[in-house]
Amino acid sequence: MKVTGMNSADLVSALYDSTTQSSGKKKDSNSIENLLTSNMSANNPAMAKLSHKAENKDFYKKALSAADQANELLHKLNDAKRSVFVKSADTEDEQAREDYQTEAAKDIAGLLNSYNTMISNLMEAGGSTNKNFLSELNQLMKDYGKELSAFGIAGKEDGTLALDAETLAGADMDALAEAFGPEADFSQKLTEKMDAIVQKTATTVDTLQIYSTAYSNSGSYSQYDYLKGIYDLKA
């Protein structure tokens, strides 16, 4: 792939496309050289404008870390074979059931804590995509507000969730399973949205790394070898 005559905005777009194209598509090992060397004198103000997006990189990184943690707990709770809800239903030992209930409450509390951290950082990062995610999550929590309130979970105006830990700790295990367990409607819908957020946010973090590395304070490409390393890693 030979690329010439691009402005900086097109360069960044092409660079990102080159590093994120599907694995089944053959990549030209000379693409990165063409993209960078043929555009050293491109429109720096445009590139600088794009590089400002990197100011939100830390918010995206924190959002991604929290989303990963929340998603891990969510998948653990609704695992059809290894979930504590499945284990609890398969035993008649009362102590074991109490232990599973305690574990479920702990995991749900951890899920909510990570969820709130994710929400706060997505809000700080801003952007239309994040606003859409936040809107969808707010609507989901409203749709299941009555069900969640039985466990001491309530939506707040800023999109985060408040938790009454005592109410959650005393919740019935079967009722918890109906909300957070395998095949539960709420759990499945939240998992779908969280999976999308993790995937999109991870891509954004990668993109912002390219922006922040490709453009130096002087408005030029200062880390050619690093960029080429990114390309080679993904190639």
Side-chain angles (χ1 to χ4, degrees), residues 157-177:
E157 290 187 5
D158 63 358
T160 59
L161 299 173
L163 172 64
D164 184 325
E166 186 175 349
T167 300
L168 177 61
D172 179 74
M173 189 65 162
D174 292 335
L176 285 173

Side-chain angles (χ1 to χ4, degrees), residues 138-185:
N138 279 334
Q139 187 59 54
L140 179 65
M141 297 308 168
K142 288 180 180 179
D143 291 344
Y144 288 87
K146 183 176 180 180
E147 183 175 357
L148 295 175
S149 66
F151 312 125
I153 302 170
K156 298 167 65 175
E157 290 187 5
D158 63 358
T160 59
L161 299 173
L163 172 64
D164 184 325
E166 186 175 349
T167 300
L168 177 61
D172 179 74
M173 189 65 162
D174 292 335
L176 285 173
E178 290 179 1
F180 294 95
E183 300 183 3
D185 287 343

Side-chain angles (χ1 to χ4, degrees), residues 46-184:
M47 190 68 180
K49 183 176 180 180
L50 286 173
S51 73
H52 291 329
K53 294 184 66 176
E55 295 175 0
N56 291 329
K57 185 171 62 176
D58 286 343
F59 292 126
Y60 278 105
K61 283 185 174 181
K62 291 176 182 177
L64 177 59
S65 177
D68 277 332
Q69 293 170 8
N71 215 23
E72 182 178 348
L73 288 170
L74 189 58
H75 281 278
K76 176 184 175 184
L77 287 164
N78 61 37
D79 189 295
K81 295 182 178 180
R82 296 182 293 274
S83 170
V84 290
F85 300 118
V86 174
K87 295 176 181 178
S88 179
D90 288 343
T91 183
E92 296 182 357
D93 186 309
E94 289 302 321
Q95 184 59 55
R97 286 180 61 85
E98 289 182 13
D99 291 342
Y100 287 136
Q101 198 278 344
T102 298
E103 182 179 350
K106 179 180 178 181
D107 285 347
I108 292 170
L111 164 63
L112 298 183
N113 183 61
S114 294
Y115 177 91
N116 286 343
T117 299
M118 178 195 73
I119 292 293
S120 296
N121 281 282
L122 289 179
M123 290 178 64
E124 291 288 351
S128 59
T129 299
N130 290 339
K131 288 180 180 179
N132 288 337
F133 281 141
L134 293 170
S135 177
E136 291 173 359
L137 289 172
N138 279 334
Q139 187 59 54
L140 179 65
M141 297 308 168
K142 288 180 180 179
D143 291 344
Y144 288 87
K146 183 176 180 180
E147 183 175 357
L148 295 175
S149 66
F151 312 125
I153 302 170
K156 298 167 65 175
E157 290 187 5
D158 63 358
T160 59
L161 299 173
L163 172 64
D164 184 325
E166 186 175 349
T167 300
L168 177 61
D172 179 74
M173 189 65 162
D174 292 335
L176 285 173
E178 290 179 1
F180 294 95
E183 300 183 3

Side-chain angles (χ1 to χ4, degrees), residues 24-44:
K25 184 176 180 180
K26 183 178 181 181
K27 301 176 183 179
D28 181 353
S29 61
N30 293 321
S31 296
I32 192 71
E33 287 88 346
N34 290 332
L35 287 169
L36 294 177
T37 59
S38 66
N39 288 279
M40 288 295 187
S41 300
N43 185 352
N44 283 337

Side-chain angles (χ1 to χ4, degrees), residues 148-224:
L148 295 175
S149 66
F151 312 125
I153 302 170
K156 298 167 65 175
E157 290 187 5
D158 63 358
T160 59
L161 299 173
L163 172 64
D164 184 325
E166 186 175 349
T167 300
L168 177 61
D172 179 74
M173 189 65 162
D174 292 335
L176 285 173
E178 290 179 1
F180 294 95
E183 300 183 3
D185 287 343
F186 171 74
S187 181
Q188 294 298 313
K189 291 180 180 179
L190 181 58
T191 297
E192 180 180 347
K193 295 185 183 301
M194 291 297 296
D195 285 342
I197 290 173
V198 168
Q199 181 178 2
K200 179 61 178 179
T201 306
T203 299
T204 301
V205 168
D206 192 29
T207 305
L208 294 182
Q209 182 63 54
I210 293 174
Y211 287 160
S212 63
T213 305
Y215 189 77
S216 71
N217 291 333
S218 63
S220 61
Y221 295 99
S222 61
Q223 297 188 39
Y224 175 90

